[in-house]
Amino acid sequence: MYSSKSKSGDYYLLVVVAALVLCLAAAREVAAFNYADALDKAILFFEAQRSGKLPPGQRVTWRADSGLSDGSADQVDLVGGYYDAGDNIKFGLPMAFTVTMLSWSVVEFGDMMPRGFLGFGGGQLDNAKEAVRWGADYLLKAATATPDTLYVQVADPYQDHRCWERPEDMDTPRTVYKVTPQSPGSDVAGETAAALAAASIVFRGCDPAYSAKLLQAARQVFDFADRYRGSYSDSLSSVVCPFYCSYSGYHDELLWAAAWLQLASPSSEKDVYLSYISSNGHALGAEQDDFTFSWDDKRVSTKVLLSKGFLQSKADGLQLYKAHTDNYICSLLPGVNGFQSQYTPGGLLFKEGDSNMQYVTSTAFLLLAYAKYLAGATVSCGSTAVAPSTLISLAKKQVDYILGANPAGMSYMVGFGSRYPRHVHHRGTSMPSVRDHRGRIGCDEGFQYLHSPEPDRNVLVGAVVGGPDGGDGFSDSRDNYAQAEPSTYTNAPLVGALAFFAGAHKIIP
């Protein structure tokens, strides 16, 4: 967590810690899990999603190098980054969101993650930072390889989905896609700027040179996004839709990126972005209430983030964001004015049938972050004042459901507990590893593993799958991608939520 070294900052930190201790004590529920173990696994999942030349310390040993020529089609280096889910494509918008949320997890809850012994690495915080760096390194390449250009995707999704191949074997076209002044993409560029800015905060203390490089790139990409406005869903509709269409448009990403740049910038430059937020907030959706947070829609997360400035320092002009954040929180709480969410009979927040867990993890994160920002303040739901402990309790219920406190008695995190999905919709995990089967497994040959009733050949430890339907029903089948496919953007906010409960468990007697 980044905090001021001033006396006022120290005092605020003490108030926050004291308030959270009281909140957590009040929010205890019957279900109890080893959150530290779940956190380890949630971070480990990102190593299974790595593209590029794997490092010597790679812990997921059934994976090997892949995508080593990525970018060569455009004579640029785009090796690295993450595959978004169960395929072998590098989609820029969800990848950037993944890096933003991993960074936010470390910024807010990194102090609850154990560090490596004597600073030599290997602790949860070190591994989380490495997950951030792996994605941020790729985004730096994508943002700086060519002037006035942001590379936003590697691989033709239709060709990739025509095959079921290990990433180490893939021979489908690694076509490169980009946004430019003539073909703008303010949505994906705005999210990339947010990711680079958020990552710069993560490394500010431990690697200041790298942090400065990230922040400089973030500013440049934000300027590019703001100057050449347009949606990448229009410029690249044939390859990003329907996979990662930006249905919310690009206004939310511009405001989101400005909020992160304001936090990441030194004091002498914060006013530039505060002024931008003040001047453009209305036009970019500051007064719109929205109740879903995802890789596509950042309206509510921006309000939560900007509420931090109001709650912690009473920054002028930011009180509006606290009011709208309260509206969002009220929408999640049964029995209060403004409630409008849907929950399964077992208590899981339910937004939609395809990969619903992404909304569960992102919501849990926002509940915990806002509870932290509130400290001793409350949420106003009409005439009802809601304490931060209520937010923490709801977040805990969602996290516990994922880990096994649900009607099925199943953990939806692979490798956690004794009962978890064994037929994950994921190419690499379903097939024999290169280590065990050195011969190439071709495009069509791989489908025998997709449709096989046999358990996964490799355990995708830490992956959170799409999850159950609105009636708590779940089909453990690889063909059921809506429920059985994991994604980086589902796990990223869960890292922060698990860090919160893992750290809190240690300080509550």
Side-chain angles (χ1 to χ4, degrees), residues 289-293 300 304 323-333 341 349 351 359 362-364 366-367:
D289 278 328
D290 184 73
F291 306 110
T292 299
F293 174 38
V300 68
V304 172
H324 283 282
T325 300
D326 282 5
N327 291 343
Y328 165 69
I329 298 298
C330 299
S331 78
L332 299 169
L333 303 176
S341 296
L349 178 70
K351 290 288 185 180
Y359 306 108
S362 63
T363 300
L366 290 186
L367 286 165

Side-chain angles (χ1 to χ4, degrees), residues 1-6 9-10 12-13 107 111 201 204 308 312 372:
M1 178 186 69
Y2 173 74
S3 60
S4 170
K5 296 299 182 182
S6 67
D10 292 340
Y12 181 83
L13 181 60
V107 170
D111 55 352
I201 303 175
R204 181 184 291 161
K308 180 179 184 179
Q312 294 186 358
K372 177 183 175 183

Side-chain angles (χ1 to χ4, degrees), residues 8 24 44-45 53 61 79-80 124 127 150 161 198 221 230 264 267 274 279 282 295 320 359 394-395 455 467 480 486:
S8 60
L24 283 158
L44 182 63
F45 165 69
K53 179 71 176 177
T61 55
V79 177
Q124 291 172 341
N127 292 330
L150 175 66
H161 288 181
V221 178
S267 299
L274 280 173
S279 300
H282 175 75
W295 57 264
L320 165 73
Y359 306 108
L394 178 56
N480 182 15

Side-chain angles (χ1 to χ4, degrees), residues 423 430 446-455 457 477-479:
H423 305 85
S430 68
F447 281 102
Q448 65 178 301
Y449 298 101
L450 168 62
H451 303 304
S452 171
E454 295 298 315
R457 296 299 187 95
S477 167
R478 279 185 209 97
D479 291 303

